[in-house]
């Protein structure tokens, strides 16, 4: 006994699309049943899967299971509807059409799931520790995510067109030619894009770094975009440099240093005695060694350097444990004032450029 034997006679009348009215009612009921059972099956599947993923340390699999809920429900609905289709006793031609529609919905569900999986992957990659120290990588990850989504959608569209019987080979050839033309037209844009990738991977500079680019730009990096990098100069102007160009330039990053060198040369007057010079050298060296920010006492250099044109030159070099330029400026000021005290206590003084002119009198001419 078939299902049609239980159907009232009026519902056997043909309706739209050459299907009986009972078949249309059965399609609607089957769709509702498939949606309900798909929700239940998805809940049971997720519940069992979460029991497993909760045991892992990472939250990636938990987020992936949550984000794939919608696509899984859709795929379950399609599968259950396809299993119940034989009960509808559809004509072969109509059954094939509905099967093609189900395959299209199935493909949409798969693409939907892949797009959500890409979001989860990029989202977790953006929270990684190595990205926190590389702000540029966030922009690159976002770009990579968009490219992956475009690739998935393009592959899905080409597959759908091929299923519909369209000449996919000719379409791919046209896309290839168009891609070459686009590459020539957007050469600078592509160059800057690859420059951004190079800056993100090599990390010669980061947002917030105080840098010197070649000998022309000195300032703080405000933003590193996909096309250009903006640097705020000391005059508060903004210099925009294309990434393709900046990746090939010489970049000096001051933020990468772990200590700062204090180096100066002081000149004492030529009236300074040897005893006073030794007292000055000992006093300056003691000043440097006793400073709380002194990095390494073995790197202190305080030496009588040379007999200058108008001064006795003393070389002073030392390293201090700071990477902040504002803090170093305060340290430098403190040291220079301390050196002045040392020189004054030694009874010497600082020299300044002088020139001695000897006037020789000419012998008187004979009368």
């Amino acid at each position: 006994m078939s299902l049609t034997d239980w159907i009232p006679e009026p519902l056997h009348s043909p309706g739209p699309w050459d299907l009986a009215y009972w078949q249309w009612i059965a399609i609607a009921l089957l769709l509702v049943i498939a949606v309900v059972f798909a929700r239940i099956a998805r809940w049971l599947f997720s519940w069992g899967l979460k029991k497993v993923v909760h045991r892992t340390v990472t939250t990636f699999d938990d987020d992936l299971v949550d984000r794939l809920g919608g696509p899984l429900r859709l795929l379950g609905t399609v599968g259950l509807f396809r299993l119940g289709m034989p009960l509808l006793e559809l004509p072969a031609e109509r059954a094939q059409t509905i099967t093609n529609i189900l395959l299209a919905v199935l493909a949409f569900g798969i693409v939907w799931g892949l797009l959500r999986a890409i979001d989860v992957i990029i989202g977790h990659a953006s929270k990684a520790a190595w990205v926190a120290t590389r702000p540029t990588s966030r922009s690159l990850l976002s770009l990579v995510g968009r490219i992956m989504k475009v690739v998935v959608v393009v592959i899905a569209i080409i597959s759908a067109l091929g299923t519909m019987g369209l000449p996919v080979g000719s379409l791919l050839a046209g896309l290839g030619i168009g891609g070459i033309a686009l590459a020539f037209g957007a050469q600078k844009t592509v160059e800057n894009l690859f420059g951004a990738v190079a800056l993100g991977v090599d990390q010669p500079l980061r947002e917030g770094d105080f840098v010197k680019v070649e000998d022309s730009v000195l300032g703080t990096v405000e933003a590193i975009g996909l096309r250009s990098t903006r640097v705020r100069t000391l005059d508060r102007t903004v210099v925009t440099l294309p990434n393709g160009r900046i990746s090939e330039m010489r970049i000096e990053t001051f933020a990468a240093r772990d200590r700062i060198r204090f180096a100066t040369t002081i000149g004492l007057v030529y009236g300074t005695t040897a005893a006073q010079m030794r007292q000055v050298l000992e006093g300056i060296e003691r000043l440097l060694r006793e400073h709380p920010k002194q990095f390494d006492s073995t790197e202190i250099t305080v030496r009588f350097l040379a007999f200058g044109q108008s001064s006795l030159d003393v070389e002073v070099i030392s390293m201090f444990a700071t990477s902040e330029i504002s803090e170093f400026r305060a340290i430098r000021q403190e040291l220079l004032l301390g050196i002045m005290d040392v020189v004054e206590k030694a009874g010497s003084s600082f020299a300044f450029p002088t020139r001695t002119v000897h006037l020789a009198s000419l012998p008187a001419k004979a009368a």
Side-chain angles (χ1 to χ4, degrees):
M1 183 179 294
S2 65
L3 182 63
T4 55
D5 296 334
W6 298 88
I7 305 298
E9 188 64 28
L11 296 179
H12 285 274
S13 302
W17 210 34
D18 295 333
L19 294 180
Y21 286 106
W22 75 267
Q23 289 175 316
W24 282 108
I25 296 174
I27 290 174
L29 290 176
L30 181 59
L31 182 60
V32 172
I33 293 172
V35 169
V36 173
F37 275 88
R39 286 182 173 271
I40 296 174
R42 184 262 169 187
W43 182 83
L44 292 174
F45 178 76
S46 299
W47 178 79
L49 198 58
K50 286 182 178 180
K51 290 290 185 180
V52 178
V53 300
H54 280 334
R55 299 175 183 175
T56 60
V57 178
T58 178
T59 59
F60 170 76
D61 43 12
D62 301 83
D63 293 341
L64 187 62
V65 171
D66 292 336
R67 292 285 290 169
L68 291 181
L72 288 176
R73 284 197 301 269
L74 181 60
L75 296 179
T77 301
V78 172
L80 291 174
F81 190 92
R82 182 64 184 85
L83 290 176
M85 275 184 59
L87 299 176
L88 302 178
E89 300 182 5
L90 299 173
E93 184 178 354
R94 304 306 183 207
Q96 184 60 43
T97 302
I98 294 178
T99 300
N100 292 337
I101 295 175
L102 292 177
L103 289 176
V105 176
L106 181 68
F108 173 78
I110 293 174
V111 173
W112 185 17
L114 289 175
L115 295 180
R116 287 204 163 185
I118 291 173
D119 287 336
V120 174
I121 293 172
I122 299 300
H124 275 264
S126 301
K127 298 176 183 177
W130 61 273
V131 177
T133 58
R134 296 172 172 84
T136 312
S137 301
R138 292 191 181 93
S139 300
L140 295 178
L141 284 173
S142 177
L143 175 63
V144 170
R146 290 196 292 267
I147 292 175
M148 292 173 64
K149 288 183 178 181
V150 170
V151 170
V152 170
V153 172
V154 168
I155 292 176
I157 293 175
I158 293 176
S159 301
L161 293 177
T163 304
M164 295 170 61
L166 296 178
V168 178
S170 301
L171 177 62
L172 291 177
L175 289 176
I177 296 173
I180 294 174
L182 180 63
F184 278 109
Q187 182 178 0
K188 287 296 181 182
T189 302
V190 174
E191 179 184 352
N192 292 328
L193 179 60
F194 278 99
V197 174
L199 291 177
V201 173
D202 193 40
Q203 290 290 306
L205 49 79
R206 296 179 296 180
E207 292 182 4
D209 287 357
F210 189 77
V211 300
K212 182 179 182 181
V213 182
E214 294 292 346
D215 294 323
S216 56
V217 180
L218 179 68
T220 303
V221 179
E222 282 203 338
I224 302 176
L226 296 178
R227 194 197 70 84
S228 62
T229 297
R230 293 188 295 276
V231 179
R232 175 79 65 175
T233 66
L234 298 178
D235 295 328
R236 305 304 298 163
T237 60
V238 176
V239 177
T240 302
L241 299 170
N243 289 331
R245 178 186 169 199
I246 197 174
S247 62
E248 299 176 354
M249 302 173 73
R250 183 176 63 85
I251 303 172
E252 183 178 358
T253 304
F254 295 93
R257 56 187 175 185
D258 56 348
R259 52 189 182 272
I260 301 180
R261 187 176 71 128
F262 171 77
T264 186
T265 301
I266 64 174
L268 303 180
V269 295
Y270 262 96
T272 304
T273 64
Q276 290 174 329
M277 177 61 76
R278 291 188 181 94
Q279 185 177 349
V280 169
L281 296 177
E282 293 172 359
I284 294 176
E285 185 171 350
R286 184 170 56 253
L287 174 69
L288 296 175
R289 290 185 185 278
E290 293 176 354
H291 198 281
K293 283 290 185 175
Q294 177 59 235
F295 181 78
D296 187 357
S297 59
T298 61
E299 296 184 0
I300 294 177
T301 300
V302 182
R303 294 290 183 268
F304 182 13
L305 181 62
F307 294 97
Q309 292 184 354
S310 58
S311 63
L312 303 177
D313 296 334
V314 177
E315 181 183 36
V316 181
I317 300 175
S318 181
M319 304 297 295
F320 289 88
T322 179
S323 59
E324 298 292 335
I325 188 64
S326 58
E327 183 181 10
F328 174 73
R329 285 171 177 166
I331 294 173
R332 182 174 58 190
Q333 173 180 286
E334 181 183 352
L335 292 174
L336 293 176
L337 291 174
I339 291 174
M340 290 181 66
D341 291 337
V342 170
V343 173
E344 289 176 5
K345 290 178 181 179
S348 182
S349 60
F350 295 100
F352 52 88
T354 58
R355 177 174 296 177
T356 302
V357 179
H358 295 276
L359 297 178
S361 59
L362 297 176
K365 294 183 179 180

